[in-house]
Amino acid sequence: MRARAAAIVVGVAALAAPAAASGQGIFQVVTSIGGPPFLPQRVVDAPVAVSGQMVVRFHGDRAAGCEASGLCDTSGTITWDPGRTAEVFATLGVAGGRRESDVYITFGDYPPLSGARTVAEVRRTRPDGSRAGCADASTDVSDLEARGRGLALDVGFARGGLLGTRCGGPLDEDIASLLPVRRVTFSQLERGGSRLDLSAHGAFASHGLAGQLDSTVVLTLARGRNHNLVPPNIRFKRRRMRVLDVSYALDQLSGQVAVDFAAGSQPALCDALDACDLSGTVALAPVASSGAARLSAQVPERVSALALLQRTGLVNGRSGKPIPLRGFVGWKGGGAITATTSRPGGPACSDRIPMGADAILLDTSGGALHAGYSPLGMSNADPVRTRCPGPSTADVGQVQALATATAPLAALRQPTLTLRFTRGAGFAGAGYSGSTKPNLTVVLKRTRVRERVVTQRIEVDPLSG
Amino acid sequence: MLRRAGLGVTVAGAALLLGAAPAGAARQVTRLTTSAQGELVVGWHGDHAAGCADRGTCAFSGTYELPIGGGATQSEQVSGNATLPPQIQLDSGQPTVVRARRDAPGGPGLCVDVVSSDLSGVSLVQAPGRRLALQPGGLAGAASGPLAGRCAGPLFSDLPTGFPTVQAPARLGSKPVTLDFSGRRAFSAGGWSGEVTSTVKVTLTVTRHAAPRSERIPRAIRAYLAKRRSIQFVTLEYRAQQVAAGLGVAFRGLPDPACEPFDACGASGTASWSIGGPVAKGPLILLSAERRLRPGEPRDLASALRALREGQMHVTGGGDLGSNGRAQSAEQLPGGGSCSDSTPAGAPSLNVASRRGRVSFAFGGPQELSPELFRTRCPGPLLADAFGQGETLVVGRVPERVLAARTLRVGGQSAGGFTGSGYLGSRRATLLLVLRRVRARVEPVGVGAP
């Protein structure tokens, strides 16, 4: 999940690169969908000593609605162990004319024996009174993330997949109100010695589950290092590139992608995950309140504007080697992830989680436009994890799109572009196997085609002599 | 004990970078890319017929989940046909998830741990009869080591050897070859019975291309190397006449809830590793000392040893103390019952370095990946819990001047407390080496940067 999230950030950054081509510094401008570009000015990193862990004990609770969600027979413990070392990486920059700052704390150094992990032990009572247990671990989430204004950074637990495993149980949003946030300044990061006490204790009750959170996590910052964003020995060369951007407004987003699953092919593992007789569906139904899409290409300036338009397929005519367009559809809004799981003779489990901003990746190749929907949630959260037991992205496949659509390149010449996601994919993870069944439609209205020449500063490889 | 993989890649890259190409020759680089997907899953349980009662492991059962894939590993050869290296570490990127269940009267205890793929990862190795096999063991080469992290479970050596295997491809060409390692194999060893299930598929792809033009020495490095300096190297070879080293911990489970993920609440015990005794032909310890020679300075061995005595040489080196170590553990399990086991274990490498007139002989150190020395089939803390990850385990120091003597006696010890994941306790470590110098020679004076 993390790797995929990183991939889209890189992808989005690459799209933003032409616009930032005249900017200073070796860091590319990174922008989020719909957000202003972020130009880093100051970077500080520091080692962190870590102690403590976060433990969430929970049980199905009637007052919290366990009968409706089918979780009354469930209890368990989820432990997030951050390891003993971490690295804080803070960036101060400008976004939309205002000073913004980001901080990432990455837990666990090499090897991940001492790194962060989430461990879940979830038990349930079978209808015959016997007990079954699910044990799972995940190392997907190992970061804390925060954003600040100016020189102050608010460090807290990122809402994402801290508690996520294949065993089910509470999600991060169930305990979010109990988690502390601590402020640290850039000066404190540079000086070192600050202690960020992220300990917390409190009860929660949400979506059929109630329990107790106990965090004893404390971070102690060592002296930080300031990074010069443009080291004096870095040399640049200039390159003039012709850039093509095709912009769309999102007109319609409807339908859903269903992920049907059952226990995987490994008998020992399905027993350990308490999944041998479990089957279910996770359905992702995104809803957009607003959205946009962009397809971009860049070539050396010597390629004419007409050739660029022809070779990308935007204009009919004699063309040479095709030039690929790459981009994304991004949207803000709602929608929901709903899960239903069942076992023979046992109560059905159901859950519903709101969806946030999301994106679809686009690219052209082989004379067609390809679109892939791999819901990222724009956070660390695993899109197929819910409070019910079921697969994770480790089972479904980290790089596999849940739904894909293809349209002929000629569709790019029309003012309206309709993408119908009807092709799903099968998966066969060790824990769970199944298939995705998409029925998702995206309609885009073209708003602008812009071609221009920009000057890029390219770092010269210092090893090239 | 191995350096981290990244360093190896860097060294290989540097070698490629600095390798001088014949003038005018167009070098071909053959690149073998290995990508894999799937999983190895080991399901196991304590088995009376296999001897679990002797160890107290009959109440345990569990799984190891070793994901494979998520990346590709590459090896490069300069010119020639693609050949398979003896061992290819399959890039996992994902750690092994360990689950161990302990059946007890008050309800089962569950231990869940995560083990680095560097310690538990899977390699593609060549097997007899022109076959290829998947071999768990990780970078640390812990063939007999534990796979279970802090939980109870089988050792690598309890699992079927070289399972599964497939016929090696007759030749590797430009067409990708996919090897299907799917299969199941039952095993019974070390007090356990179980089954290994594989869904692993490995794809080998060969590409050939011209060596990039940038493979020349960067200007800054050329300028640095051009400053001629005379450097003298002295090689000192020692045989270990006596080796006595040991690591030990006395541990107990952390207070609830920190003990819970590891089923360690109420557990207590000891674990140790030792290697030692007089040795007829002990392991070889190689030291290299170097100094910058001033113009006209004598270059013979006596002068070099004199410089060594006076602390004017920088010493580095090390050795391998062999593989006849032994791990032992004994533990009182939560709620009653006990587990005890003893297994062969390797040894950490010995690293030698001089600083400020003193030479340190150390087990382990920064950037080193130690095999788990005192873990057995019973649950318990890891080496990293007790001694820290990448930390020196124990060090003995001697003045640099004594290196000129024929016999060297090095001793060191350490002790302290620890709080790790799931366990806390006390640790101790001892090291005693009696080394006899068997050879000292002066290498020809080299020219280069000191």
Side-chain angles (χ1 to χ4, degrees), chain B residues 206-299:
Chain B
V206 173
T207 53
R208 292 184 176 86
H209 56 90
R213 289 173 59 196
S214 61
E215 284 180 24
R216 58 194 175 109
I217 301 172
R219 187 190 305 158
I221 297 176
R222 286 202 303 271
Y224 183 68
L225 292 176
K227 293 179 181 173
R228 299 174 67 84
R229 300 169 177 88
S230 295
I231 311 294
Q232 183 180 47
F233 296 92
V234 178
T235 303
L236 304 168
E237 290 181 22
Y238 293 88
R239 282 265 174 216
Q241 291 187 313
Q242 191 176 350
V243 176
L247 308 171
V249 292
F251 61 85
R252 65 179 193 277
L254 281 169
D256 195 22
C259 57
E260 204 167 304
F262 303 100
D263 187 26
C265 303
S268 64
T270 58
S272 64
W273 166 86
S274 62
I275 189 169
V279 279
K281 187 178 183 184
L284 197 63
I285 312 296
L286 283 175
L287 304 188
S288 175
E290 65 177 75
R291 64 169 173 159
R292 188 173 163 183
L293 285 174
R294 288 183 287 271
E297 198 167 4
R299 302 177 174 198

Side-chain angles (χ1 to χ4, degrees), chain A residues 53 55 57 76-77 79 81 83-84 109-114 117-123 131-140 166 214 235 265-269 272-273 394-395 398 429-431 461-465, chain B residues 3-5 17 39 41-43 63 65 94-95 97 99 101 108-119 139 150 184 197-199 214 216 218-219 221 256-262 369 372 382 384 389 419-421:
Chain A
Q53 57 186 354
V55 180
R57 297 170 189 266
T77 305
T79 305
D81 183 346
R84 296 292 165 261
D109 55 2
Y110 171 90
L113 265 178
S114 59
R117 85 274 304 271
T118 302
V119 171
E121 296 175 3
V122 179
R123 298 161 204 264
R131 300 278 283 168
C134 172
D136 199 17
S138 165
T139 55
D140 280 355
R166 288 173 284 190
D214 293 290
R235 292 185 295 131
S265 58
Q266 306 271 13
L269 201 54
L273 291 170
D395 296 303
Q398 298 244 354
D461 182 358
L463 291 180
S464 66
Chain B
R3 298 263 168 195
R4 57 168 79 179
L17 184 77
E39 282 202 322
V41 174
V42 184
T63 59
E65 185 184 357
Q94 292 290 313
V97 176
R99 302 170 179 87
R101 174 190 168 110
L110 285 172
C111 175
V112 184
D113 204 359
V114 177
V115 179
S116 157
S117 58
D118 291 329
L119 290 174
L139 283 179
R150 298 166 184 88
R184 294 171 186 270
T197 308
S198 167
T199 58
S214 61
R216 58 194 175 109
R219 187 190 305 158
I221 297 176
D256 195 22
C259 57
E260 204 167 304
F262 303 100
L369 179 60
E372 278 303 323
L382 297 172
Q389 188 65 54
T419 301
S421 293

Side-chain angles (χ1 to χ4, degrees), chain A residues 442-459:
Chain A
V442 175
V443 180
L444 302 169
K445 298 278 190 194
R446 195 169 66 208
T447 54
R448 188 167 74 158
V449 178
R450 186 182 179 206
E451 176 275 326
R452 66 200 191 284
V453 173
V454 298
T455 301
Q456 293 182 348
R457 283 156 53 92
I458 307 296
E459 186 182 328

Side-chain angles (χ1 to χ4, degrees), chain B residues 295-316:
Chain B
E297 198 167 4
R299 302 177 174 198
D300 58 312
L301 178 61
S303 303
L305 292 179
R306 195 178 313 118
L308 193 62
R309 265 198 301 273
E310 293 167 359
Q312 293 174 1
M313 300 191 86
H314 179 65
V315 181
T316 56

Side-chain angles (χ1 to χ4, degrees), chain B residues 409-421:
Chain B
R409 187 182 170 88
V410 182
Q413 57 184 342
S414 70
F418 73 90
T419 301
S421 293

